[in-house]
Amino acid sequence: MPQGARWRTRHQVIFVIALVVGVTAFLAIAAVGHAFFDLKVYYGAMRHWVIDDGQLYDWLKPNSKYGFTYPPFAALIMLPMAYVPWLAAIVISVTASVVTSALLLWWLVDPIARRVGWTRWFALAIALCLAAAFEPMRETVDFGQVNMLLLFLVGADLLRLVGRGSRWGGVGIGLATAIKLTPGVFIIYLLVTGRWRAAVTAMGTAAAATLFAGAVAPNESRTFWTEALWNTDRVGELTFISNQSLRGVVARLNPSEPSTLAWLALVVVVVAVWAWRCRAAVAAGDEATGLALTGVLGCLVSPVTWVHHLVWLLPALVLLVDNAYAAPARSRRRRWLLAGAVVAYGFLISRIVWIWEWDFGGVSGFLGSNVYVWISLALLALPIRRWSPLDDRIGSGGGAARPVDGPGTVDRPDVGDRSSATGGGQGAEPGGIAQLDQPHRRPSPRPLKSEHRPVPVGR
C-alpha cells in the first residue's frame, strides 16, 4: 500500500473511532430506553397463541391496552419467536435491524462515496454511526420494531428489482404490505408512475400471502379483518406528541373534536404534490427519489405515525447529501442542500418535539410539537436528477446529472460542466470530461434506453 494510502486509512480509522465514541456519549445522554416494549408485545402474543393455545388478537400486554395489531401473515413470520428464549428474541430483533439498515445504507451511500472519493467502508461506517443517533432509528431498535425490515423489503424491491426492470419487481412491496398495511402506499406509487406489471405483482404477492395466512390461521384472519383492524383504541391517542403525521397535527389543534375534513383536505393536497413529483422522478429514471418521496408521503398521510415510523425519512436525508455532492463544488446549491440535510438531521436526533409532550397549545406549541411533520413536508421538495447513458459513460453514479424541479424536461449539461458537477474536477481531460476512478453508474435509478430526452409520464 502506498504511503499516502496508509496515512489516509489511518486517519479514517481514527475518525470513525472518534465518531463511535461521540455517538455513544450522545446516546448515553439523549436516548430514552423503551426496554423492547413492542417486541414484548410480539413475543407475548406469539406465546399466548401457540404455547397457551389462546386467541392471537385477544392478548394484551399486562398493565396496558396494547396487543398485536399486524395482519396474520406477520404473525406467521414472527411465529418462531414463541419457541426461543426472550434474550434470543432480543438478539434476533437487533441483528435484523442492524443488518437491514447496513444493506439499505450501502445502496444509498455508495454513490456518494464514489463521487466524493471516499473509500466505501469509510462512507458506510459514517452512515451507520449517524443512523445510530437518528431518533427514529434508535427508537426502532429500542422498541424492537419491524420498521427497518419493511423499509429494506421496499428499498430492495425498488432499487434492485423494479428500477432494473426485473420481472420480480413488486414482490418485496407485496410482502411488506402483507406484514403491515402501511407499505401499501408503494403499490399506489407503482400505479401512479405507470409500472403496471410491478403493481400487479405487488398486489398479487400481498394477496397470496394474505390468503396463505387465512388458510393456516382462519380464525385469526377472520378476527383481524372483521374486528381488530377497526379497533383504533389498540393503537394509541391521536394527540400523543409521538404522532408526527398530518392527522396528529390536526388532532393537537382541537383535541376534543379533531376535524376529519381538515385532515382529508391536507391529505389530498399532499398526495397531489407527491404524485406530480414522483412522476417526474420516474420520467428522469430516478427510482431512489421515488422511494424517498413515497416514504415521506406514507409518514404524512398515515393516521398514526409514531416517531419510530419516521425511519422512512432516512432515504430522503441521504439523497439530500447525494444531491448536494452532485452539484458543482462551492456552488450555492451545494451549500443549501448540505445545510438542509444538517438542519433536518439535527432536529431528528434532538427529541425536540417532546418539549411539548404535555402542553402543545399556542403558536409555539403548534410549531414546536409538529417539527418532524414540517421536516417531512419540506422533504417533498427533494431534488430530482435526470440519468442517461451519457452519464454512465463519463462519470460515476450520476454525478453529472442535473436536477429536475418538476415533471418537464431539462437540458443536458454541457460536457464542460462534468468536472465541476462531480465535486472537483480532478483529472479532467482537455475536453472537460472528468475521468473518475470508478466509471460505474449509480445503482438505484434504471438507465434510459436512448440518448434522447425522455418523455414525462402522462404527457
Side-chain angles (χ1 to χ4, degrees):
M1 183 182 295
Q3 182 69 23
R6 285 199 299 270
W7 275 105
R8 183 178 70 167
T9 300
R10 183 178 302 175
H11 290 159
Q12 289 175 342
V13 170
I14 294 173
F15 181 85
V16 169
I17 292 174
L19 186 59
V20 169
V21 172
V23 169
T24 302
F26 171 78
L27 292 177
I29 298 171
V32 174
H34 300 291
F36 299 99
F37 184 95
D38 289 347
L39 185 63
K40 288 178 181 176
V41 173
Y42 308 152
Y43 187 78
M46 294 305 106
R47 291 186 64 84
H48 176 75
W49 183 28
V50 299
I51 302 297
D52 300 334
D53 198 25
Q55 295 297 313
L56 175 64
Y57 295 101
D58 288 345
W59 184 86
L60 296 178
K61 187 178 182 293
N63 303 316
S64 80
K65 62 179 181 180
Y66 296 103
F68 194 75
T69 59
Y70 295 168
F73 182 71
L76 296 181
I77 298 294
M78 298 179 187
L79 195 58
M81 187 186 304
Y83 301 100
V84 300
W86 169 240
L87 182 59
I90 294 176
V91 171
I92 293 170
S93 173
V94 173
T95 302
S97 291
V98 171
V99 170
T100 53
S101 301
L103 286 171
L104 182 69
L105 285 171
W106 173 266
W107 295 332
L108 293 172
V109 171
D110 186 53
I112 304 175
R114 294 202 307 263
R115 186 177 296 113
V116 179
W118 293 348
T119 52
R120 292 174 174 178
W121 74 265
F122 181 61
L124 180 61
I126 291 176
L128 286 173
C129 288
L130 296 179
F134 187 52
E135 184 180 354
M137 177 70 79
R138 67 187 192 235
E139 294 225 330
T140 285
V141 174
D142 203 12
F143 271 115
Q145 263 283 344
V146 298
N147 300 314
M148 284 312 302
L149 172 62
L150 301 178
L151 179 53
F152 170 76
L153 285 173
V154 172
D157 200 346
L158 291 179
L159 301 181
R160 318 304 288 184
L161 299 178
V162 174
R164 296 180 174 182
S166 170
R167 63 178 180 176
W168 296 101
V171 170
I173 292 173
L175 288 174
T177 304
I179 294 172
K180 188 176 181 180
L181 299 180
T182 49
V185 69
F186 286 91
I187 298 179
I188 301 175
Y189 163 70
L190 294 175
L191 292 172
V192 165
T193 54
R195 269 77 65 79
W196 309 109
R197 185 177 68 178
V200 170
T201 300
M203 289 186 285
T205 302
T210 301
L211 290 174
F212 172 75
V216 174
N219 292 333
E220 285 68 24
S221 295
R222 181 172 59 252
T223 300
F224 176 79
W225 295 107
T226 61
E227 299 177 24
L229 176 61
W230 315 104
N231 185 0
T232 56
D233 291 338
R234 297 163 62 95
V235 178
E237 296 293 333
L238 292 176
T239 57
F240 184 41
I241 205 69
S242 184
N243 185 14
Q244 291 293 306
S245 68
L246 292 173
R247 185 63 160 156
V249 173
V250 173
R252 284 186 286 274
L253 281 174
N254 186 3
S256 59
E257 294 182 5
S259 173
T260 300
L261 183 61
W263 171 57
L264 291 176
L266 290 173
V267 167
V268 169
V269 173
V270 167
V271 168
V273 173
W274 162 81
W276 168 58
R277 304 234 68 222
C278 282
R279 290 163 71 92
V282 171
D286 194 353
E287 198 74 66
T289 298
L291 163 67
L293 290 172
T294 308
V296 171
L297 177 76
C299 293
L300 287 170
V301 303
S302 174
V304 175
T305 298
W306 304 135
V307 168
H308 58 78
H309 294 152
L310 295 176
V311 293
W312 292 94
L313 302 185
L314 195 59
L317 293 176
V318 175
L319 289 180
L320 270 182
V321 179
D322 193 355
N323 278 282
Y325 281 107
R330 297 180 296 279
S331 67
R332 180 180 299 177
R333 181 180 184 84
R334 175 177 287 194
R335 290 195 300 270
W336 276 104
L337 288 175
L338 284 177
V342 170
V343 170
Y345 176 78
F347 277 120
L348 285 165
I349 69 172
S350 67
R351 288 184 53 85
I352 189 172
V353 297
W354 298 96
I355 295 173
W356 294 273
E357 181 178 2
W358 305 113
D359 182 9
F360 40 76
V363 175
S364 64
F366 174 72
L367 296 176
S369 67
N370 301 304
V371 165
Y372 298 168
V373 180
W374 311 143
I375 292 173
S376 298
L377 289 169
L379 289 174
L380 284 179
L382 190 68
I384 297 167
R385 293 206 304 277
R386 188 175 304 287
W387 308 93
S388 76
L390 182 60
D391 298 328
D392 296 339
R393 288 198 299 271
I394 67 174
S396 71
R402 281 287 178 88
V404 182
D405 294 325
T409 57
V410 65
D411 291 335
R412 182 175 293 143
D414 294 333
V415 170
D417 291 339
R418 301 290 181 175
S419 59
S420 63
T422 59
Q426 295 179 353
E429 290 183 345
I433 300 177
Q435 297 296 311
L436 302 179
D437 293 335
Q438 300 88 7
H440 302 296
R441 68 188 303 274
R442 175 181 178 167
S444 47
R446 60 186 177 187
L448 303 175
K449 296 184 181 301
S450 71
E451 299 204 13
H452 298 291
R453 295 173 189 165
V455 178
V457 175
R459 179 168 295 182

